Amino acid sequence: MIPILILGFIGLLPLLNGCSSHPETKAGPAAETTRKTLSAPRPEAIQPAILENETRKSLSSLLSSPRVQRYIRKLHKISGMERRPLVQIGTIKNRTNDPAFRMDVIEETLFRGLAASEVFELTIATGTAGRLTPHARKMIQNPGEKRSLQRPDLTMDGYVASVITGVEPNQRKGIFLSLKLIDLQTSTVIWSFNRAIPLESHQPENTK
């Protein structure tokens, strides 16, 4: 009787292994695809140097804009004196699929470029992304100094978005940079810059 029970138990072992709570994972095409997806770079990954260079192109466009020059001449006429327009870096929105997109590169490049220009005065009262600086907050709390906190003439706003052009399998991914300079007195857009930046040309080649 005992030998029969032992043989019966041995016969159940394959069935018990099949009901294990930790089944063996077999590698296949689906598993390989998952690994490639997880290890692939983010669609919006772009080298900061490339992003900075593209933002500098927007500054070149701004500083050479005939419409901006007309605005400055009109400002001189209205104010009765020659002065540089006071501009703030407003809100540059991240509309890409990457929450960690390097928006700081765009903001800081604009900030440095406008501050170094001989066309505009840059207010630090709002800083980048429209946030009040600690110095500005102190001035607002002091009624005497609050009066000396000048309101900007212009604000630089915009966004960066993800774009896909073409149809599969020839789709191309990229980002779209859109900037606007707005007259805060009249809410008029006096300059705009729109540029599509393809990502494929900036991605490093795979090494075999």
Side-chain angles (χ1 to χ4, degrees):
M1 187 66 178
I2 293 177
I4 293 174
L5 289 175
I6 293 174
L7 290 173
F9 180 75
I10 292 173
L12 288 173
L13 285 177
L15 296 177
L16 292 175
N17 288 335
C19 298
S20 172
S21 60
H22 302 285
E24 181 183 358
T25 303
K26 296 182 179 181
E32 187 65 24
T33 302
T34 302
R35 282 197 292 271
K36 287 181 179 179
T37 303
L38 294 176
S39 61
R42 297 191 307 269
E44 288 74 24
I46 184 171
Q47 297 176 21
I50 298 293
L51 193 56
E52 181 177 348
N53 183 57
E54 297 294 341
T55 307
R56 283 179 178 173
K57 290 178 183 177
S58 73
L59 288 169
S60 298
S61 167
L62 171 66
L63 298 176
S64 62
S65 168
R67 192 173 180 186
V68 171
Q69 297 302 322
R70 287 197 299 271
Y71 168 84
I72 294 175
R73 289 195 297 269
K74 183 179 178 181
L75 182 66
H76 291 170
K77 186 177 180 179
I78 294 174
S79 61
M81 58 182 292
E82 290 192 4
R83 69 176 182 86
R84 298 174 183 175
L86 189 61
V87 61
Q88 70 174 7
I89 306 296
T91 303
I92 313 293
K93 295 180 179 179
N94 179 9
R95 295 180 180 174
T96 71
N97 298 324
D98 181 7
F101 188 84
R102 295 295 304 275
M103 298 299 298
D104 60 305
V105 174
I106 298 174
E107 293 174 347
E108 291 302 327
T109 302
L110 290 172
F111 197 93
R112 290 194 306 269
L114 291 171
S117 76
E118 297 182 358
V119 178
F120 301 98
E121 293 289 348
L122 182 64
T123 174
I124 61 170
T126 51
T128 56
R131 293 184 292 270
L132 284 174
T133 62
H135 176 67
R137 282 196 292 269
K138 282 185 179 180
M139 293 180 70
I140 288 175
Q141 292 170 2
N142 187 323
E145 291 187 351
K146 183 179 180 180
R147 287 193 293 270
S148 65
L149 188 62
Q150 298 180 33
R151 183 176 185 269
D153 301 301
L154 304 164
T155 182
M156 176 79 76
D157 295 334
Y159 65 88
V160 182
S162 304
V163 291
I164 298 178
T165 57
V167 226
E168 290 184 348
N170 299 316
Q171 283 186 342
R172 297 188 65 189
K173 295 180 180 179
I175 61 171
F176 185 76
L177 174 62
S178 178
L179 298 171
K180 291 180 177 64
L181 189 66
I182 302 170
D183 180 355
L184 290 172
Q185 185 68 29
T186 62
S187 298
T188 304
V189 177
I190 64 170
W191 169 87
S192 64
F193 179 86
N194 298 290
R195 186 172 182 84
I197 309 170
L199 295 179
E200 283 80 356
S201 59
H202 304 317
Q203 295 295 347
E205 295 182 359
N206 294 327
T207 55
K208 294 183 179 180

